Amino acid sequence: MKFVRAIWKLLVGIKDALVLILLLLFFGLLYAGLSARPDPVRDGILALDLNGPVVEQPAKADWSELAGGGGVREHSLRDLIAALDAARSDDRVKAVALDLDGFGGGGMTAMSDLSDAIRRVRSAGKPVIAYAVGYSDDSYQLAAAASEIWLNPLGAVVVAGPGGANLYYKGLLDRLGVTANVYRAGTYKSAVEPYIRNDMSPEARENYQSLGNALLETWRESVVRARPKAKVDIFLKNLPAAVQASGGDFARAALAAGLVDKIGERRAFEKKLAELGGEDDNADGGFKTIKLAAYIRDKVPSHRDGAIGVVTVAGMIVDGKAPLGTAGGDSIAQAIEAGLRDDDLKAIVVRVDSPGGSVMASERIRQALLAAKERKLPIVVSMGNVAASGGYWVATPADFIFAEPSTITGSIGVFGVLPSFQGSLQKLGIGADGVKTTPLSGEPDLLRGPSPEVAQLIQAGVDSTYRRFLAIVAQSRRKSPAEIDRIAQGRVWDGGTAHQIGLVDGFGGMEDAIAKAADLAKLGEGNRKVRYLDRTLTLRESIVDMLASDESEDGGAGDAFAALRGRPDAMLTRAIQDVGFILSGPTIQARCLECPVALPAVRAKTRERSLLAAMKAWLF
C-alpha cells in the first residue's frame, strides 16, 4: 500500500506541476500581449506584404495556431483599402511596396476594388511598386494597377484563367456502399452532382463554360485598361510561343510583351525602395519601412459609431452562431438586431461574399433585415466575389443591389442530400429489420434507405422552398414568379449578365453602396460615417486575437510556377468539408457548387485539421 500511495503522490505531483506550468505559460503570454507596444509609424515605404489571401472578413486565429500550429494569414479587404486611402494624404508614406510573393489571391471582384485603391494612391503622386517571383490571375490583376511591375529573373507571368476541376464522389460512395438520396429543384442546380455523378452534367458544363468565358473577358478588360500597351492576348492564347520567341526565358517574354517593367533580383527591388523612401540599415531590406499592421492600427478607424451600419455576410451560411469568416445565421441576425436598438442608425449596407448554404440561416438573416425595413431604414446590398443561392436570398430585402461585372450571382435553386447505408451494411454482412406503426415510423431510415413516402415528403419540402425562393425574389425584383423561374433553375450568372436580366440594379463597390444608402436615408455630407455590425468577440477569442502574431506562417511563394500547383491542402480541406456535408444528414440547402472557386482558399476548421494534417503529411 505504501508503494501505491507513493505512486499516487508522484502522479498528483506531476499533474500539479503541469497545471502550474500551463498557468505560468498562459499568464506569461497574456502579459506579453498586454504589455506589447505597437510599432511606431515613421516616414518610409508602406509595405503591403500580402502573404496569404485577401478576404472580406478574416477568420480569427485559434489556440492551435497560437501554440505553434501555424496558419495562413488572411488580410481584410476593407482594412487594406482604408490603409491605401489613408496613405494618399499621409506625408509619412513616400511610396507603396506591393510584395506579392506568397499571395493567396482573393477573387476577381476583390482585386478590382483593391486595384482601384492603388490607382487612387498613384493619382496622389505616390509610386506603387509591385514585385513577385511569379504572377498568376489575381496577383497580376492587382500588380497591373501599380506604377512599376518587377519580376524576378527566374520568374514568370502565368495566367490560367477561370476554370478547373471539381471533385465527384459517386465512385467513392459506391465503394463504401453509401447511397446519396438527392432532392433538388432547378435544372442547373448542380451542387448535388458530386454525390450522384463522376463527371459534370451537360447542363452544368454549359453554365460553367459560359460563366468562365465571361469572367475571363472581364479580367482581360481590367488588365488592358490598366496596361493598354501590354500584349495580354499573346499570354492568354499561346504562352509557349511567346516564351519560345524569347529564347525560352519566361521573364524576358513577359518583359517583351509589356506585362512587366523591370526584371531584377529582390536586392535590386529593395534598393529601388530605399531610393524612394530612404535607407535604413537596421530594417529588413535596408529601406525605411512602415509595417502594414502598424499602419492599420494607426490610421484605420474602428468604426464604432456612425449612421450607416455595414453588415458582412462572408463565407458559407450556416445555422446558429459561427466565428468570423463564416456566416452564422444567428450571429449575423443578432448583430443586426443589436444595431437596430440604436436610434442613431439610419441605413444599412449589406456586403455579401457567400456561395450560400443553409436555407434556415439565410432566412434568419433576411428576417432581421426585414425588421430594419419595417423601421423605414433603407437597405443597400454590395455584392463581392460571390453572392449566389443563399447569398442572393439574404440580398432580397434590398432597396438597391450593387454588383461588379466579375461578381458571381444567381444560382436560385434548392437541394437536399440524405445519406443511407444499406449498401454498407450489405458489404459488412449486417442486416437491418424492424416494424412500423405508421408510414413514418423510424424514418428517414438511414439503414435501409428512406421509404417512398418520406422521399416524396422531402422532395415536396424542397419544391416548396424553391417556390418560396422564387416568390421572395419576384417580390424583390418586381417580377412574377414565372419570370424569375425562367432565369432561375439554379443557373449561375456573371454580374454583367445579372444586371441585364434584372437580378442586380447597378455596378459599383462598397463606396457606391454607402453613398447610395446615405442618399436614400437623406443623410447630409457630415453624417455619412459607417459602423460595422460585426459579431462581438468572446473573451477567449479576444485573448487569442491579441496574442496572435501579425506575421503569416509561410515565407514565400517558391518558384514562378507555385501558383499553378492548385493548393492541394485547400483541395483536401474542400473534400473533407464535402464528405462531412453529406454525412451531416437531411438539411435543405441553397448553395452554389461552382462559386467557391471564385473565393480564396478557406482556413480549415479546427476539427478537420488533424485529419487534414495527416493526409498532407502522407501525400505531400
Side-chain angles (χ1 to χ4, degrees), residues 51-55 57-60 71-76 324-325 552 600-604:
N51 197 1
V54 171
V55 298
Q57 190 178 66
K60 296 299 181 182
V72 176
R73 166 83 176 191
E74 295 177 342
H75 301 276
S76 165
L324 297 178
S552 59
V602 295
R603 176 193 306 256

Side-chain angles (χ1 to χ4, degrees), residues 522-562:
K522 297 181 173 57
L523 298 178
E525 290 297 327
N527 194 27
R528 295 191 170 202
K529 292 182 179 180
V530 302
R531 73 176 83 171
Y532 289 101
L533 305 180
D534 290 335
R535 180 180 68 82
T536 304
L537 295 180
T538 65
L539 176 62
R540 177 179 181 275
E541 291 171 332
S542 299
I543 293 173
V544 174
D545 192 49
M546 176 182 61
L547 298 176
S549 168
D550 287 331
E551 303 299 327
S552 59
E553 171 193 48
D554 231 341
D559 63 35
F561 297 95

Side-chain angles (χ1 to χ4, degrees), residues 399-427:
D399 298 294
F400 200 93
I401 298 177
F402 283 102
E404 301 281 6
S406 56
T407 297
I408 296 176
T409 189
S411 194
I412 299 170
V414 182
F415 72 93
V417 180
L418 176 68
S420 58
F421 304 94
Q422 60 269 36
S424 303
L425 296 184
Q426 184 177 2
K427 289 176 182 290

Side-chain angles (χ1 to χ4, degrees), residues 189 191 313-319 326-328 352-362 365 386-394 408-411 413 415 469 581 588-593 595-596 599:
K189 197 60 186 173
V313 181
M316 195 70 71
I317 300 176
V318 299
D319 294 311
T326 300
V352 182
D353 197 23
S354 170
S358 165
V359 167
M360 292 302 298
S362 302
I365 297 170
V386 175
S389 279
Y392 194 87
W393 187 298
V394 302
I408 296 176
T409 189
S411 194
F415 72 93
F469 201 168
F581 167 74
I588 295 179
Q589 297 275 312
R591 185 160 70 100
C592 175
L593 169 69
C595 296
L599 296 169

